[in-house]
């Protein structure tokens, strides 16, 4: 994470969809950075990875649709939603879930580029403006292995 998202004290910090190596690494980083609550969002079919996220420090494990995830995050945060959201999945659908669970004036961080799911920029721009978001992007998926 390297300081890309700055969480308010006690804030929630969800990691979204398919908890693969990048997302699981983000759980470790969030725990090391003293995140107030770490919420991992994934699919029920990835239960084994969600269980790994719990062992690495995730406080809550959520599954379901985008609407269900948003409702669950709202319930866990008393309606505030999340302060920092890290989307380490490479799909547009996961990015939409990340933006829906973002609270007002929060910081969504997109790791790499969404490669699947299509979609348009309109939902991103609507969330950016209506929630006054600070969206960060970080490189996260090397397209090729480099040697030194």
């Amino acid at each position: 994470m390297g300081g890309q998202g700055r969480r308010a004290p006690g804030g929630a910090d969800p990691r979204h969809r398919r908890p693969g190596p990048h997302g699981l690494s983000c759980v470790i980083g969030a725990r090391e950075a003293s995140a107030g609550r770490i919420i991992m969002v994934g699919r029920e079919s990835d239960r084994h990875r969600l269980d790994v996220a719990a062992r690495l420090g995730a406080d809550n494990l959520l599954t379901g649709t985008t609407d269900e995830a948003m409702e669950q995050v709202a319930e866990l945060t008393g309606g505030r939603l999340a302060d920092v959201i890290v989307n380490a999945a490479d799909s547009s659908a996961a990015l939409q879930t990340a933006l829906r669970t973002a609270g007002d004036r929060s910081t969504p961080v997109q790791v790499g580029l969404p490669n699947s799911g299509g979609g348009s920029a309109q939902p991103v721009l609507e969330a950016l403006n209506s929630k006054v978001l600070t969206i960060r992007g970080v490189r996260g998926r090397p397209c090729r292995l480099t040697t030194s």
Side-chain angles (χ1 to χ4, degrees), residues 14-21 23-24 27 38-64 69 72:
R15 275 76 178 92
H16 286 285
R17 297 284 159 201
R18 301 259 359 193
L24 293 171
V27 171
I38 301 171
I39 303 168
M40 176 64 82
V41 178
R43 297 181 180 135
E44 190 56 46
S45 61
D46 294 320
R47 176 55 57 189
H48 63 288
R49 292 179 178 184
L50 291 169
D51 292 341
V52 171
R55 289 195 302 274
L56 293 174
D59 298 301
N60 302 97
L61 308 173
L62 307 180
T63 61
Q72 293 172 60

Side-chain angles (χ1 to χ4, degrees), residues 18-133:
R18 301 259 359 193
H22 291 96
L24 293 171
S25 297
C26 288
V27 171
I28 296 169
R31 182 56 59 215
E32 290 296 313
S34 301
R37 177 186 298 245
I38 301 171
I39 303 168
M40 176 64 82
V41 178
R43 297 181 180 135
E44 190 56 46
S45 61
D46 294 320
R47 176 55 57 189
H48 63 288
R49 292 179 178 184
L50 291 169
D51 292 341
V52 171
R55 289 195 302 274
L56 293 174
D59 298 301
N60 302 97
L61 308 173
L62 307 180
T63 61
T65 66
T66 294
D67 288 338
E68 291 166 341
M70 195 227 16
E71 290 170 10
Q72 293 172 60
V73 171
E75 184 177 320
L76 289 168
T77 62
R80 287 190 346 251
L81 298 174
D83 298 308
V84 175
I85 307 90
V86 178
N87 180 38
D90 66 349
S91 76
S92 296
L95 178 58
Q96 296 307 318
T97 302
L99 294 173
R100 290 282 306 277
T101 59
D104 288 341
R105 293 176 168 52
S106 65
T107 304
V109 179
Q110 173 63 41
V111 180
L113 297 173
N115 292 321
S116 62
S120 74
Q122 184 171 349
V124 175
L125 296 173
E126 287 175 1
L128 177 67
N129 290 320
S130 68
K131 294 183 176 186
V132 192
L133 301 177

